[in-house]
Amino acid sequence: MLENTHEQFMSRAIEVAKENPWDPFGAVIVDRETKVIVSEGVNRSSGNPILHGEIDAINNYAATGTSEWSRLTLYTTAEPCPMCMSAILWSGISSVVFGASIPTLMKLG
C-alpha cells in the first residue's frame, strides 16, 4: 500500500534529520492505514546517549497515548542500531524502511 509513498516519507525523515547537523539521523512513524505521519524524531544523543532518532520518534508517539503500534511503519535515515531495532520490536511497530545501511555508514566514517 505504501509503494508510492516510501520516497515521500523518507524525504521527511531526511528533513527531520537536518535539525541536528552534527549527527543527522531522523525518523518518522507512519500509520499505514491512513498514510499519515503520526510521529517524528531526531537524534538527540549528544544530550542523552540512547536518544537516537528512532527512540525519539517512538517516545513522541507513546506520549500521544495512542496504541495502534502494529499498523505503523518506521522510516529512518539509517539502518537502526541493535538498541533501536530492539525498541522497534518491543513497541510492536511491524515494519521498518531505512536509508543508509550500517556498513555504508561505517565506510563513510
Side-chain angles (χ1 to χ4, degrees), residues 30-34 61 68-73 92-94:
V30 175
D31 183 315
R32 283 191 307 280
E33 290 182 17
T34 63
Y61 183 71
E68 298 296 331
W69 296 94
S70 65
R71 67 188 220 188
L72 302 177
T73 297
I93 294 173
S94 58

Side-chain angles (χ1 to χ4, degrees), residues 32-85:
R32 283 191 307 280
E33 290 182 17
T34 63
K35 296 187 174 119
V36 171
I37 294 173
V38 296
S39 183
E40 298 180 344
V42 65
N43 185 333
R44 300 178 196 285
S45 62
S46 62
N48 179 336
I50 66 167
L51 204 49
H52 294 182
E54 299 91 338
I55 302 292
D56 193 33
I58 290 168
N59 284 338
N60 291 337
Y61 183 71
T64 69
T66 310
S67 60
E68 298 296 331
W69 296 94
S70 65
R71 67 188 220 188
L72 302 177
T73 297
L74 186 141
Y75 289 80
T76 182
T77 55
E79 181 177 357
C81 72
M83 174 188 68
C84 289
M85 198 63 228

